[in-house]
Amino acid sequence: MSDNDGKKTLGLRGGPRSGNVKQSFSHGRTKNVVVETKRKRVVVPKPNAVKSGTEGSAKAAVAASGSKRPAGISDAEMERRLKALQAAKAREAEEAAAREAAEKARAEERERMRAEKEAKEREQREAEERARRKAEDEERKAREAAEAAKAAATPADVAPPVSRQPAGGPKPSQTPPRKTDREDRGRRKTDDGGRRSGKLTLNQALGGGGNRQKSMAAMKRKQERARQKAMGTSQPREKIVREVKLPEAITVAELANRMAERVADVVKALMNNGIMATQNQAIDQDTAELIIEEFGHKVTRVSDADVEDVIKEVEDDEADLKPRPPVITIMGHVDHGKTSLLDAIRDANVTSGEAGGITQHIGAYQVKSKDGTVLSFLDTPGHAAFTSMRSRGAQVTDIVVLVVAADDAVMPQTVEAINHAKAAEVPMIVAINKIDKPAANPTKVRTDLLQHEVVVEEMSGDVQDVEVSAVTGKGLPELLEAIALQAEILELKANPDRAAQGAVIEAQLDVGRGPVATVLVQTGTLRQGDIFVVGEQYGKVRALINDKGERVQEAGPSVPVEVLGLNGTPEAGDVLNVTDTEAQAREIAAYRANVAKEKRAAAGAATTLEQLMQKAKDDEDVSELPVLVKADVQGSAEAIVQALEKVGNEEVRVRVLHSGVGAITESDVGLAEASGCPVIGFNVRANATARNTANQKGVEIRYYSVIYDLMDDVKAAASGLLSAEIKETFIGYAEIKDVFKVSNVGKVAGCLVTEGVARRSAGVRLLRDNVVIHEGTLKTLKRFKDEVPEVQSGQECGMAFENYEDIRQGDVIEIFEREEVERNLD
């Protein structure tokens, strides 16, 4: 250590905290040394400045603490402060230890109190159970004693029954007599030792009122959860692996629901896979399968069409089949007496209720013959527009009765009915009607049928034929006998003890009853309350009404009934199937509606550029007559739409914007106004609101009850869109003999009319070497100096062309007239 002008530098060597003395300074009387270490700057007293052990210890403490003593603080004060600091630290350590011990004691106390509480509750429950059992035993003994005493005593000295006493009460000998059994039962119901009595109401369940208590298992589970939470040893819940049915497309929310996972977790998993999707967005099947496997579940791929599996046809056991009535369809040409014949069989008068005396709906009836045989009849329309109706009738029938008028022979719809019967592969019976008329010729009918490969028994064939008269009733028993014979040969059977299946014969929208479908049950039994799906609609059978207007509870095979309870009007020809649950029916109906929507969109969509251009060109070349059709039943609406689509040619066509069943509503009028088309009502009327709206907006509403009139009016309206045909008629020829130039007029041709007549109002063509070089009209036609309307053959005249003067001697003028001829659709 060296000294330089009162300032000394100390070189210290040692541990990691050592350093070098860089500067010394004087502080009062004592000189201090500043030592800079690697971590801190320490001021230590000069070694020769230490005078006593106290001062040395204080200085050593200051050096050890690494603090810098403020100016004006003595060593004793510094030592006192350091001692106070050490004492505070010691007290803080003691307080921390005390707090830890107190917390541990409190935890032990809580655990002890919880154990005591559980033991007390357990003892209380055991005591209550013992008291309840004891009370029941006493009550049973008292009841047995009373019954024994009552049986042993005479009616005069019957002892009063002993009332029930709680545990610890007076002895049976001291109990007062109970009043009545009813009072005793009421008292026992209310005083049952804390047990739950009576029905559980919503207020009791939500408010926890009454004596309602949790079960032992629930309390044990709660205590176990609390104990595990207090000990911090709660075990994670075991993962439940589910089998997830995966359709072709599924929303994120539905996927999470089927996996029983949180939607947020599924969305997070999709994001981790690079797919940004919300809970309402649909994802494809492959992506959904990855997510399901990531969550540890099993995947079962299903198709959307698998929803139809619940209504797949099942083969009935031969032992379950029972005989059923035959279904007979009456078919034939219009006005050949089909409905009249059926009326004669049913002793009814359906014809009077049909507009125009022709059938325009499919009717379904049941007839009981004199021998007790039950027959189900379907009456189909004979008009050409109702082809689809006749086809449906042939598809659901067992026997076809072909009605042919004896005075009219085989007609186009008769041939069509024969084709439908052959396509459906059902036996046929020929009924030659109107045999009572003087012009009747049944032999001609049989001969004409030979041309269509229908050979009747009288012509050595295998088809039965019966001559009948709907007016006189002649031949009706023979016809019923022939039907019964044919039905017996077919041996018709069905299983009535299974889920019902049937065909929709007709459907309509009734104002008071809603959608109504006429259903012919084919197999099974349809009962009130059954849930069913029919086409794109579903529902629950609210009521069943037979052909006589009576409500029935069920309908077996071959029974036609009206079904109420649909959510919409089905299409005629749809198949009705009974399902187990409403969810199944709703799912199947939604799937079918979606498929039908996609088919309609695909049918009207152009997929290539060439198709788009061709469609646009066709729309420009063809004029359209838009119409809106509302009918009383679905079958009529379908027939009208099909007939209207056939109206037109390559220049004009009829376009049905919308068709439906039910009354004409305000929305129909609004659609017609927006499209600029009329509204056609077939056997329906517009309501008051729709009529007022139509009058205000100028929408035409036309009502029809006969399909003939409707088709004629639509054809006439469509014919108005056809451009008129221009017909030219040549009326004369003239030859130019000379050409003159007249002031203020121009060149004038001096002509000789060589053929026909020349008229001022007619059109003219200028021919030069038999080539047309100009076509136009005449500006003037003069005979000498006078303007004349026409010039006869062999006379001379002067002609001047309108806006044309290139005329020469020797040219020929062709004179013609144009006539517009209106065209009509065939």
Side-chain angles (χ1 to χ4, degrees):
M1 182 171 59
S2 61
D3 188 2
N4 186 10
D5 298 334
K7 300 178 182 179
K8 297 185 178 181
T9 303
L10 179 64
L12 301 178
R13 300 180 182 272
R17 296 180 180 272
S18 63
N20 296 325
V21 179
K22 298 189 69 175
Q23 185 179 5
S24 63
F25 59 93
S26 177
H27 181 72
R29 294 181 179 181
T30 306
K31 292 184 178 180
N32 298 325
V33 179
V34 179
V35 179
E36 286 189 358
T37 64
K38 291 182 179 180
R39 294 188 178 181
K40 56 186 73 177
R41 190 168 181 265
V42 184
V43 179
V44 295
K46 192 175 180 181
N48 58 3
V50 180
K51 295 181 179 181
S52 65
T54 304
E55 291 179 356
S57 61
K59 292 176 182 179
V62 171
S65 64
S67 61
K68 182 179 180 181
R69 186 171 61 183
I73 301 299
S74 63
D75 294 339
E77 179 66 19
M78 191 64 187
E79 185 178 2
R80 187 184 64 79
R81 291 186 179 185
L82 290 175
K83 288 181 178 180
L85 179 61
Q86 292 175 357
K89 289 182 178 180
R91 283 194 304 273
E92 184 178 356
E94 293 175 357
E95 290 175 356
R99 283 195 302 271
E100 185 176 355
E103 183 66 27
K104 186 176 181 181
R106 282 195 297 271
E108 293 176 353
E109 180 67 17
R110 284 195 300 270
E111 185 67 21
R112 184 184 62 79
M113 292 177 66
R114 185 181 63 80
E116 291 178 356
K117 185 178 179 181
E118 290 179 359
K120 186 180 293 185
E121 289 177 353
R122 185 165 54 252
E123 291 175 359
Q124 184 179 0
R125 287 195 299 272
E126 292 175 355
E128 290 176 355
E129 184 67 18
R130 287 194 299 272
R132 183 180 64 78
R133 291 177 181 175
K134 186 176 180 181
E136 289 179 354
D137 292 341
E138 291 180 356
E139 182 182 356
R140 187 179 65 256
K141 291 178 182 179
R143 188 165 58 251
E144 291 175 355
E147 289 176 355
K150 184 178 179 181
T154 60
D157 56 355
V158 173
V162 180
S163 62
R164 172 180 174 271
Q165 293 292 337
K171 295 181 179 180
S173 60
Q174 300 174 353
T175 55
R178 61 184 182 185
K179 298 179 180 180
T180 60
D181 291 340
R182 182 176 298 177
E183 293 179 1
D184 183 63
R185 285 196 300 270
R187 183 169 60 80
R188 279 185 294 166
K189 186 175 181 179
T190 56
D191 186 14
D192 56 357
R195 291 179 296 163
R196 180 168 58 184
S197 62
K199 293 183 178 179
L200 178 63
T201 63
L202 186 60
N203 292 332
Q204 291 175 352
L206 296 178
N211 297 325
R212 186 166 177 263
Q213 296 179 355
K214 290 185 177 180
S215 64
M216 292 290 294
M219 296 181 67
K220 287 181 179 180
R221 288 195 300 268
K222 183 178 180 181
Q223 291 173 1
E224 183 65 21
R225 287 195 299 268
R227 187 179 66 80
Q228 290 181 357
K229 185 177 181 181
M231 297 178 64
T233 59
S234 59
Q235 298 179 355
R237 185 175 297 177
E238 184 180 355
K239 179 74 174 181
I240 300 177
V241 179
R242 303 180 184 276
E243 184 176 353
V244 181
K245 291 186 178 181
L246 186 60
E248 296 173 358
I250 188 172
T251 62
V252 177
E254 179 64 21
L255 178 62
N257 184 31
R258 295 189 181 189
M259 293 191 300
E261 304 284 352
R262 294 172 57 233
V263 178
D265 295 340
V266 178
V267 173
K268 184 178 179 181
L270 287 169
M271 289 183 177
N272 293 336
N273 286 275
I275 300 173
M276 302 298 171
T278 62
Q279 63 177 354
N280 296 324
Q281 287 182 341
I283 57 177
D284 60 279
Q285 203 173 37
D286 296 334
T287 304
E289 184 175 358
L290 292 175
I291 299 301
I292 293 171
E293 292 176 350
E294 185 175 333
F295 278 91
H297 299 289
K298 297 181 180 179
V299 182
T300 303
R301 290 200 177 205
V302 297
S303 174
D304 290 341
D306 291 343
V307 298
E308 302 261 12
D309 292 344
V310 297
I311 57 173
K312 278 188 175 179
E313 293 187 4
V314 293
E315 293 292 334
D316 294 319
D317 191 2
E318 189 68 27
D320 298 333
L321 299 179
K322 298 179 181 179
R324 65 171 178 86
V327 179
I328 304 101
T329 300
I330 309 294
M331 304 180 73
H333 191 71
V334 64
D335 201 26
H336 275 201
K338 298 181 297 299
T339 307
S340 301
L341 183 62
L342 187 57
D343 288 345
I345 296 174
R346 297 176 58 233
D347 293 329
N349 188 13
V350 178
T351 309
S352 61
E354 294 285 358
I358 64 171
T359 301
Q360 299 176 124
H361 311 88
I362 285 187
Y365 316 99
Q366 265 201 330
V367 176
K368 197 168 187 179
S369 61
K370 293 181 180 180
D371 58 354
T373 306
V374 179
L375 306 174
S376 297
F377 283 94
L378 298 181
D379 185 17
T380 60
H383 189 267
F386 297 98
T387 301
S388 57
M389 282 193 186
R390 288 188 291 277
S391 175
R392 278 197 302 275
Q395 292 296 327
V396 300
T397 192
D398 300 314
I399 303 170
V400 170
V401 175
L402 181 66
V403 179
V404 187
D407 61 342
D408 201 10
V410 177
M411 299 299 287
Q413 270 62 60
T414 309
V415 179
E416 182 189 295
I418 294 172
N419 295 332
H420 286 318
K422 289 182 178 179
E425 297 180 353
V426 293
M428 188 188 312
I429 298 174
V430 178
I432 304 176
N433 195 17
K434 301 184 181 181
I435 199 68
D436 58 309
K437 286 196 172 184
N441 188 358
T443 305
K444 183 177 184 301
V445 173
R446 297 184 180 98
T447 307
D448 291 347
L449 289 173
L450 291 174
Q451 302 176 9
H452 306 286
E453 300 178 359
V454 177
V455 185
V456 298
E457 290 180 343
E458 194 162 320
M459 307 291 289
S460 302
D462 55 354
V463 177
Q464 299 184 73
D465 64 312
V466 183
E467 297 181 3
V468 297
S469 173
V471 177
T472 63
K474 179 184 177 181
L476 293 182
E478 290 80 1
L479 177 61
L480 294 177
E481 184 180 350
I483 294 174
L485 177 61
Q486 188 67 59
E488 186 177 349
I489 295 173
L490 294 176
E491 295 183 355
L492 303 171
K493 293 182 179 181
N495 180 12
D497 302 323
R498 53 163 288 183
Q501 178 178 337
V504 177
I505 303 300
E506 195 63 273
Q508 61 179 333
L509 184 63
D510 194 281
V511 176
R513 301 183 297 172
V516 179
T518 302
V519 177
L520 177 67
V521 181
Q522 294 173 308
T523 183
T525 302
L526 184 64
R527 296 178 176 86
Q528 188 171 344
D530 284 348
I531 299 170
F532 62 90
V533 58
V534 49
E536 302 174 25
Q537 314 298 333
Y538 69 96
K540 183 177 182 181
V541 179
R542 186 159 49 89
L544 295 173
I545 301 174
N546 62 11
D547 59 317
K548 300 179 181 63
E550 303 168 349
R551 294 190 66 160
V552 293
Q553 295 299 318
E554 61 181 28
S558 302
V559 177
V561 287
E562 285 187 342
V563 178
L564 280 69
L566 294 98
N567 71 323
T569 307
E571 297 288 335
D574 287 342
V575 178
L576 181 143
N577 293 96
V578 173
T579 60
D580 296 332
T581 62
E582 187 175 352
Q584 290 178 347
R586 189 185 302 110
E587 190 175 4
I588 295 171
Y591 165 71
R592 290 176 176 176
N594 189 36
V595 171
K597 181 179 178 182
E598 291 177 355
K599 286 183 179 179
R600 288 192 293 267
T607 56
T608 63
L609 183 60
E610 290 77 7
Q611 290 176 344
L612 285 169
M613 295 176 65
Q614 184 64 35
K615 189 174 184 298
K617 184 179 179 181
D618 293 342
D619 291 342
E620 290 179 359
D621 296 340
V622 180
S623 300
E624 287 187 345
L625 174 63
V627 294
L628 192 147
V629 177
K630 294 299 286 289
D632 55 343
V633 295
Q634 189 70 43
S636 297
E638 179 187 14
I640 292 170
V641 170
Q642 292 177 355
L644 291 179
E645 288 176 350
K646 297 177 182 177
V647 174
N649 52 21
E650 66 277 359
E651 297 182 33
V652 64
R653 66 186 176 196
V654 178
R655 181 184 176 193
V656 180
L657 296 178
H658 172 70
S659 65
V661 294
I664 300 171
T665 61
E666 189 177 2
S667 59
D668 297 329
V669 175
L671 176 60
E673 184 210 7
S675 306
C677 68
V679 180
I680 296 176
F682 187 77
N683 286 330
V684 294
R685 294 293 182 268
N687 54 37
T689 307
R691 286 196 302 269
N692 296 334
T693 306
N695 293 333
Q696 293 173 3
K697 298 182 178 180
V699 176
E700 182 183 10
I701 300 178
R702 292 198 173 192
Y703 300 120
Y704 299 94
S705 58
V706 180
I707 196 168
Y708 294 115
D709 301 334
L710 187 152
M711 298 304 300
D712 291 343
D713 284 0
V714 172
K715 284 183 179 180
S719 299
L721 298 177
L722 291 172
S723 57
E725 183 180 356
I726 306 300
K727 184 177 180 181
E728 287 188 357
T729 304
F730 296 99
I731 60 174
Y733 288 91
E735 184 180 353
I736 299 177
K737 296 297 185 181
D738 201 354
V739 179
F740 306 95
K741 193 169 185 179
V742 179
S743 59
N744 298 329
V745 177
K747 289 185 178 180
V748 177
C751 305
L752 173 65
V753 179
T754 58
E755 184 179 344
V757 62
R759 290 197 179 95
R760 170 72 176 82
S761 58
V764 292
R765 292 190 183 96
L766 184 62
L767 308 179
R768 184 173 298 163
D769 297 329
N770 293 323
V771 177
V772 179
I773 61 173
H774 175 67
E775 180 177 344
T777 58
L778 293 177
K779 181 168 61 175
T780 179
L781 176 62
K782 289 189 176 183
R783 173 84 174 142
F784 298 106
K785 293 184 178 181
D786 300 327
E787 189 79 24
V788 293
E790 64 178 31
V791 177
Q792 297 295 328
S793 174
Q795 296 180 352
E796 294 181 349
C797 62
M799 297 183 187
F801 291 88
E802 191 78 38
N803 300 324
Y804 189 80
E805 294 186 351
D806 184 16
I807 54 178
R808 301 178 186 176
Q809 184 178 357
D811 292 346
V812 177
I813 299 174
E814 183 181 73
I815 305 139
F816 63 91
E817 287 182 344
R818 285 191 176 95
E819 180 183 2
E820 292 187 356
V821 180
E822 292 186 0
R823 298 164 60 195
N824 294 318
L825 291 172
D826 296 333

